[in-house]
Amino acid sequence: MKKITVEYVGKLELSRIKTTLIYNRFDLWQENVEWKIIKVSQQENEEAKYLQVKLDNKICEIGCWGMELQQGELDAILKFFWKLGVIKVKINRARITDNEEFNNVNDFVVPISKKSNEIDSLLTKKERYNMRRQTKQCEEICGNLSFTDYVIGETPEKSIFKLIQVFWNYKNVSYGSDYAMTEQEYIKKYHVTDIYELKFGNTIAAVLLSCEQGTDVFLENFSFDNKLSKQSPGMIIYNLYLKVLAKKQKEHLFLGGGTYIYKTKYGSIEQKVCDRAFYKSKKYKIREEIVIWLHVLVARVLPKSIVKKIRSK
């Protein structure tokens, strides 16, 4: 049996972390938080794995989305933190390669084609035809197509906030969503770096929010004008978005889980991954469940404004 070692290493080893997905990089978005890097190694002739971890009040979160771990490595990581007094370890969407029982949710990743003009070839002939037909219909209804990438920090806030409001409005019409936060709060909470706008004439047909801190990208969300739903503006903006990512030389697009059809297109890879918490003792899990139950109870009884203040504290 291979001996697996887990140890803390210096923060200069940050560049050794393979995936640049924002949710694996706590140093880029978590303020006033303690983060460290662990090195997981088996033998001298095998490549070690480097993972960033966040530590907060005896709770540890592992930045491992899109990575692969063996059960032995997972066990060694848990044992390492139990010895340090940690009571809960959260594993974020890592695939446990040798024990499917740990993999409890689905996850989609799209490898980005090296060339923008290769994107359409990943669709079927019928899908390409429908894309051209629906795009033409949108232009006939509203006017010529335009597609713009607005970069946060390089675009005036007024323009950014307007697009987020359009995004919220379309979400509310389609799903009844109410985000109850400011535009700046949304950008910060969901790590948005780019907002893409699809227009036909003067009509904003769709808005897409993207997290592009590294070569591994996360599609945060998108919404579209429900009046054009028959023309599938969501699929049109997704197609154009992938072509831009290819031009930017991005490597992977992470889509999370779920059952939306668009996540299965363009050579997407779906697999089961481990997205769960592990507890040092069952009593800590029971205690957490009681706290969650109390939060739910308070949320049902008190006004939303008071609940928001309580949660912020």
Side-chain angles (χ1 to χ4, degrees):
M1 186 175 180
K2 296 179 181 178
K3 182 181 179 181
I4 301 173
T5 60
V6 180
E7 60 184 323
Y8 280 134
V9 294
K11 293 184 177 181
L12 291 176
E13 304 293 341
L14 197 60
S15 61
R16 290 180 177 267
I17 297 176
K18 280 194 171 182
T19 174
T20 60
L21 185 67
I22 182 61
Y23 287 102
N24 293 341
R25 290 292 305 276
F26 304 112
D27 59 302
L28 296 180
W29 57 277
Q30 287 277 11
E31 297 178 358
N32 303 318
V33 71
E34 181 184 7
W35 64 270
K36 295 184 178 182
I37 299 174
I38 58 171
K39 177 184 177 182
V40 183
S41 51
Q42 293 195 28
Q43 293 179 345
E44 290 184 4
N45 62 341
E46 289 192 15
E47 186 177 0
K49 296 174 183 177
Y50 294 81
L51 306 167
Q52 192 179 86
V53 302
K54 179 183 74 171
L55 299 165
D56 183 15
N57 193 26
K58 296 186 178 181
I59 296 175
C60 174
E61 187 172 347
I62 312 290
C64 50
W65 195 334
M67 298 184 181
E68 292 187 343
L69 293 173
Q70 296 174 10
Q71 183 182 343
E73 292 172 326
L74 173 61
D75 291 341
I77 290 170
L78 296 176
K79 186 177 180 181
F80 174 78
F81 284 108
W82 299 156
K83 286 184 177 180
L84 295 178
V86 171
I87 62 174
K88 175 183 176 181
V89 174
K90 178 72 172 67
I91 299 294
N92 288 334
R93 293 182 173 269
R95 176 162 177 76
I96 309 304
T97 57
D98 55 349
N99 192 335
E100 285 294 330
E101 291 183 5
F102 285 95
N103 300 318
N104 60 322
V105 299
N106 71 323
D107 195 61
F108 292 93
V109 182
V110 180
I112 305 297
S113 298
K114 298 298 181 183
K115 296 180 180 179
S116 178
N117 58 11
E118 294 177 351
I119 296 296
D120 286 342
S121 66
L122 296 171
L123 296 173
T124 66
K125 184 177 180 180
K126 184 178 180 180
E127 287 171 337
R128 291 195 297 271
Y129 168 77
N130 286 336
M131 185 76 63
R132 292 192 299 269
R133 178 177 59 83
Q134 290 165 338
T135 301
K136 185 178 180 180
Q137 287 177 349
C138 286
E139 290 187 313
E140 290 172 348
I141 296 169
C142 302
N144 292 334
L145 180 154
S146 63
F147 182 62
T148 309
D149 174 10
Y150 294 96
V151 181
I152 306 294
E154 299 178 12
T155 306
E157 274 194 347
K158 186 177 180 180
S159 300
I160 293 295
F161 289 176
K162 178 185 175 183
L163 283 172
I164 292 178
Q165 288 166 9
V166 173
F167 163 76
W168 283 346
N169 180 54
Y170 288 166
K171 277 290 185 182
N172 182 264
V173 171
S174 298
Y175 303 103
S177 304
D178 181 8
Y179 288 92
M181 63 180 75
T182 66
E183 295 86 351
Q184 189 59 50
E185 287 172 339
Y186 188 96
I187 291 169
K188 184 176 181 181
K189 181 177 181 178
Y190 295 106
H191 325 304
V192 178
T193 62
D194 294 68
I195 300 181
Y196 294 86
E197 176 194 61
L198 172 65
K199 291 181 75 175
F200 289 99
N202 294 321
T203 300
I204 299 178
V207 178
L208 186 150
L209 285 61
S210 180
C211 309
E212 302 178 17
Q213 286 80 358
T215 55
D216 294 319
V217 176
F218 184 73
L219 196 168
E220 201 291 304
N221 215 327
F222 70 88
S223 63
F224 56 85
D225 188 344
N226 203 46
K227 296 174 184 176
L228 294 171
S229 59
K230 291 183 179 180
Q231 285 72 41
S232 301
M235 293 301 290
I236 296 172
I237 196 172
Y238 184 51
N239 175 273
L240 297 171
Y241 168 61
L242 286 171
K243 291 174 179 176
V244 171
L245 294 184
K247 288 179 180 178
K248 291 181 177 181
Q249 297 185 317
K250 301 299 184 180
E251 295 180 0
H252 300 94
L253 174 62
F254 287 80
L255 302 173
T259 58
Y260 287 118
I261 294 298
Y262 80 89
K263 295 187 179 186
T264 66
K265 307 297 182 182
Y266 299 99
S268 174
I269 300 170
E270 180 184 12
Q271 57 186 4
K272 287 283 188 177
V273 294
C274 177
D275 188 49
R276 62 173 69 188
F278 296 86
Y279 297 83
K280 185 177 182 180
S281 170
K282 191 174 181 179
K283 67 179 181 181
Y284 297 119
K285 183 178 181 180
I286 294 172
R287 186 176 70 181
E288 184 178 82
E289 288 173 348
I290 292 172
V291 171
I292 293 172
W293 179 81
L294 289 173
H295 271 281
V296 173
L297 184 63
V298 167
R300 289 178 177 175
V301 175
L302 298 178
K304 286 185 178 180
S305 58
I306 297 177
V307 172
K308 188 176 181 180
K309 289 182 181 179
I310 293 173
R311 286 178 172 170
S312 67
K313 293 179 181 180

